[in-house]
Amino acid sequence: MEIIHNVYLSDLEKKDIQHHENTILIRALCGGSKIAFEKLYNRFWDRLYLASYNIIRDKQVCEDIVQEIFYQLWMRRSSLAIKNLETNLFTAVRFQVFRSINDKKCRNNFVMELSTLPADFFNLQRSNKEIEEALKSGIERLTENVVKYFTQAGRNI
């Protein structure tokens, strides 16, 4: 496959060519082509990273998000049904960013719950059973909050 670069093409024509190239690469990827995967990775990694970084502003988290998207793309290669690769990848970024923010909120909520415990809560003189019961209670409250959140957002768990 030869990539066409012509300064005389309109932006719409360039976009059509890139869409066509992406479609060819996806077909090759569905067949297990590592070369097609590498080309897609090199073509989109920077843009996906920047899209997530503009929201999260955490280098490591953004790298993890993009890596997860490409990992899933490779793992699901044999069953892909993608009509517009670019739209699909950027939708995946938005979903992963949302998921990352939600995970961070859940962790922050858990930390807040722990911070409300009395200062001597983790004193070694407490029995393991008391600590276990308190943790189970906290996890149940956290789980209820997550279920409420997704229910309010109209999503099923």
Side-chain angles (χ1 to χ4, degrees), residues 49 52-53 56-66:
Y49 173 82
S52 62
Y53 190 80
I56 296 180
R57 303 281 186 201
D58 184 320
K59 180 182 176 190
Q60 186 61 52
V61 171
C62 294
E63 287 175 358
D64 291 345
I65 285 172
V66 176

Side-chain angles (χ1 to χ4, degrees), residues 52-146:
S52 62
Y53 190 80
N54 283 332
I55 299 167
I56 296 180
R57 303 281 186 201
D58 184 320
K59 180 182 176 190
Q60 186 61 52
V61 171
C62 294
E63 287 175 358
D64 291 345
I65 285 172
V66 176
Q67 290 303 104
E68 178 64 22
I69 289 168
F70 280 105
Y71 171 77
Q72 290 299 325
L73 186 66
W74 177 255
M75 295 307 291
R76 296 177 181 170
R77 68 190 176 277
S78 62
S79 62
L80 292 176
I82 297 174
K83 294 187 186 221
N84 187 325
L85 178 65
E86 191 167 347
T87 299
N88 184 279
L89 290 174
F90 283 96
T91 299
V93 165
R94 283 193 300 275
F95 174 75
Q96 290 292 347
V97 165
F98 170 76
R99 188 170 162 190
S100 175
I101 290 169
N102 193 42
D103 288 348
K104 188 174 182 177
K105 284 181 183 176
C106 287
R107 280 193 302 273
N108 289 345
N109 288 343
F110 185 67
V111 169
M112 291 301 289
E113 288 287 330
L114 288 176
S115 69
T116 63
L117 296 172
D120 68 341
F121 177 78
F122 290 104
N123 187 337
L124 293 176
Q125 294 176 3
R126 283 207 182 255
S127 73
N128 286 339
K129 185 171 176 98
E130 287 176 309
I131 293 172
E132 185 177 321
E133 288 173 8
L135 285 174
K136 280 183 183 179
S137 173
I139 290 171
E140 286 173 8
R141 285 189 304 219
L142 183 60
T143 303
E144 290 169 8
N145 289 337
V146 170

